[in-house]
Amino acid sequence: MTALAAAALVVSCGSIASASGAPPRITHGPCQYTQTPDEPPARRVPLPPDPRHTPSHGTVGMAVRTSQGPLPLRLDRAKAPCTVQSFVHLARHRFYDRTVCHRLTAYPTLKVLQCGDPTSTGEGGPGYKYKDELPVDLPPAPSDPTGVRRLYGRGLLAMANAGPNTNGSQFFVVYGDSALRPNYTVFGTVGAAGLKSLDKVAAGGIEPTAQDAAPVDGTPVLRTELLSVRPSCLP
């Protein structure tokens, strides 16, 4: 089950073998996308291509239409080639289309919108997982005197996970500078128009619950649906 905590952005992912004991399928390239039989895909999708020479240069523009406005993304192959390969693969198979961003956080040190789960529960994924490609160049978070947490700055695009090497389909976009341990793969940025859309969603707030009339973590009041996610020709 997804943990909703200020210090963690996680999704539920499966173990590496099914209940019947059958071994998972694993691609043979450097990314080693690994099937998660105990956590079947929320939408049927094959394992991504895994070429020996995974593209690791250049960027990929993604045109993302949402119900709250455009969310253009630029994916950076140099920072996270396996992650970009997977994201583009899912987009081409329309895995993200008509999915709802299920989580908004508004902590003083964690301001993100989390998306990428077709079930909208925080537990759905593509039926596979793959390795981390962790950032090594993020500056220390000014709010953390221990120096452990890093600054995930406004506009970054990163993967959510359920621990080491459990990336799937869920990702988060940072609308305000956030302090996190560098345990989340950064694989791109949000364009200017996307930041305006994120600010709109953030300003709408988080739906109150029976336990908390003013939560700082939960479902966005403004329903944010990814209408379509496609590779684009952004410069």
Side-chain angles (χ1 to χ4, degrees):
M1 182 172 290
T2 300
L4 296 177
L9 287 158
V10 300
V11 301
S12 175
C13 289
S15 61
I16 62 171
S18 67
S20 64
R25 291 178 55 214
I26 304 174
T27 60
H28 298 297
C31 298
Q32 293 194 320
Y33 300 109
T34 303
Q35 186 183 32
T36 55
D38 290 344
E39 293 286 346
R43 288 180 175 172
R44 184 175 295 276
V45 64
L47 292 176
D50 190 6
R52 178 174 298 178
H53 300 292
T54 304
S56 59
H57 301 285
T59 60
V60 179
M62 300 296 298
V64 182
R65 292 192 307 114
T66 87
S67 56
Q68 300 301 332
L71 187 67
L73 305 175
R74 183 179 295 281
L75 315 186
D76 189 336
R77 291 190 185 277
K79 287 185 178 297
C82 293
T83 302
V84 173
Q85 185 96 334
S86 173
F87 193 94
V88 172
H89 168 77
L90 293 173
R92 286 176 172 162
H93 281 80
R94 303 192 175 188
F95 183 91
Y96 290 122
D97 290 9
R98 298 290 178 177
T99 60
V100 176
C101 297
H102 62 278
R103 182 186 182 195
L104 179 68
T105 67
Y107 294 99
T109 57
L110 183 62
K111 299 180 183 297
V112 306
L113 178 69
Q114 188 167 333
C115 312
D117 171 13
T119 72
S120 302
T121 63
E123 298 184 359
Y128 65 83
K129 64 182 180 178
Y130 59 94
K131 67 180 182 179
D132 294 324
E133 297 172 295
L134 300 179
V136 296
D137 57 354
L138 297 178
S143 60
D144 182 9
T146 69
V148 173
R149 289 175 174 78
R150 298 288 157 172
L151 178 65
Y152 281 69
R154 171 175 164 85
L156 283 188
L157 168 68
M159 292 299 296
N161 64 55
N165 303 311
T166 59
N167 302 286
S169 63
Q170 292 190 42
F171 62 93
F172 61 93
V173 283
V174 183
Y175 69 87
D177 288 355
S178 299
L180 287 165
R181 293 177 181 271
N183 297 337
Y184 305 93
T185 296
V186 173
F187 67 107
T189 55
V190 181
L195 291 175
K196 290 182 180 180
S197 299
L198 289 175
D199 289 342
K200 176 184 176 182
V201 175
I206 298 167
E207 289 186 358
T209 66
Q211 295 76 30
D212 190 346
V216 291
D217 191 338
T219 305
V221 169
L222 295 180
R223 187 175 187 272
T224 305
E225 183 177 2
L226 306 184
L227 303 175
S228 67
V229 181
R230 297 285 185 277
S232 69
C233 296
L234 292 175

